């Protein structure tokens, strides 16, 4: 493990207060020591999926958004309607890290052969807390991208692409011969259209209005 490994990490956090306010801010946190099976990823790209928006914005009224803080540590605040706040009781007062998936370069290893093999390689990960400078993850969670692939190109590998592939694979494993999908205009729906066309799978794709 390199001796000059970073010790601090900057994370985007989402907080909902019991006064009905959303607060988005950057937090500096300590990086944990790597266990043998872990790697340290320098996050270089991370998408914003619809599943990220629920945690990130908590259905706040963005028309009320106000900025404060400093240029290095900006803070964004917005109001949440009382009717919505009642459904957020489980996360009140908790500063929550955000970001389902992302990609970047592995810069350090905990020492196992599997972890060492990833050092210097670009990988994608669905590990949560990916809106950050660094992320410590198990080597087995990393999807190794082909040589020359930019992190930006591989950052969205899990939430939609593997879901589409998994739907087709599950269909076949369960003995079905076609798919029906009710969100055709979504990114997932568009991927399913292309995938099913390539795999000769009949697809009924319904656009909801």
């Amino acid at each position: 493990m390199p001796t000059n490994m970073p010790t601090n990490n900057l994370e985007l956090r989402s907080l909902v207060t019991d006064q009905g306010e959303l607060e988005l801010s950057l937090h500096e946190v300590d990086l944990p020591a790597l266990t043998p099976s872990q790697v340290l990823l320098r996050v270089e790209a991370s998408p914003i999926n619809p599943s990220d928006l629920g945690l990130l914005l908590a259905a706040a009224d963005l028309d009320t958004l106000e900025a404060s803080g400093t240029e290095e540590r900006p803070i964004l605040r917005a109001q949440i309607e009382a009717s919505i706040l009642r459904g957020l009781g489980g996360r009140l007062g908790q500063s929550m890290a955000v970001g389902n998936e992302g990609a970047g370069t592995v810069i350090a290893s905990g020492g196992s052969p599997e972890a060492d093999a990833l050092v210097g390689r670009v990988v994608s990960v669905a590990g949560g807390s990916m809106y950050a400078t660094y992320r410590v993850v198990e080597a087995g969670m990393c999807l190794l991208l082909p040589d020359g692939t930019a992190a930006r190109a591989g950052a969205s590998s899990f939430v939609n692409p593997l879901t589409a592939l998994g739907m087709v694979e599950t269909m076949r494993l369960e003995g079905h011969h076609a798919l029906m999908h009710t969100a055709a205009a979504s990114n997932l729906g568009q991927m399913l259209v292309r995938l099913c066309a390539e795999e000769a799978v009949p697809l009924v794709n319904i656009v909801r209005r």
Side-chain angles (χ1 to χ4, degrees):
M1 187 186 304
T3 57
N4 60 345
M5 193 177 126
T7 58
N8 295 326
N9 187 26
L10 202 60
E11 293 181 341
L12 176 62
R13 296 288 191 89
S14 175
L15 168 70
V16 174
T17 71
D18 52 12
Q19 287 79 39
E21 186 174 66
L22 169 72
E23 180 181 291
L24 303 179
S25 58
L26 295 172
H27 284 235
E28 190 168 311
V29 298
D30 293 334
L31 280 169
L34 297 178
T35 66
S37 61
Q38 291 180 327
V39 297
L40 177 64
L41 177 70
R42 182 177 64 233
V43 181
E44 296 162 354
S46 186
I48 300 176
N49 293 296
S51 53
D52 294 308
L53 292 175
L55 174 57
L56 181 67
L57 301 179
D61 181 359
L62 298 187
D63 288 335
T64 66
L65 197 66
E66 295 182 351
S68 61
T70 65
E71 185 175 348
E72 293 76 20
R73 294 290 188 274
I75 299 173
L76 298 177
R77 292 187 175 91
Q79 300 303 310
I80 301 174
E81 293 183 6
S83 59
I84 295 173
L85 190 65
R86 286 194 291 271
L88 300 174
R91 61 169 293 186
L92 293 183
Q94 298 185 54
S95 179
M96 306 183 74
V98 189
N100 285 322
E101 63 178 339
T105 303
V106 174
I107 63 171
S109 158
S112 73
E114 295 79 10
D116 283 345
L118 295 176
V119 174
R121 307 296 298 275
V122 177
V123 302
S124 62
V125 177
S129 307
M130 293 298 294
Y131 295 170
T133 308
Y134 301 102
R135 183 72 168 86
V136 172
V137 294
E138 293 291 326
M141 293 175 59
C142 297
L143 176 64
L144 180 62
L145 300 177
D147 288 341
T149 302
R152 181 173 179 176
S156 298
S157 296
F158 286 90
V159 171
N160 285 319
L162 289 183
T163 299
L165 290 167
M167 291 172 72
V168 173
E169 183 176 350
T170 300
M171 176 204 74
R172 288 174 170 151
L173 287 173
E174 294 184 353
H176 304 295
H177 303 286
L179 282 171
M180 177 178 290
H181 186 243
T182 59
S186 66
N187 285 331
L188 175 61
Q190 295 175 57
M191 289 181 187
L192 269 177
V193 168
R194 295 195 295 271
L195 177 61
C196 289
E198 291 177 3
E199 299 285 331
V201 172
L203 173 67
V204 178
N205 222 352
I206 301 170
V207 179
R208 295 176 295 181
R209 297 188 182 276

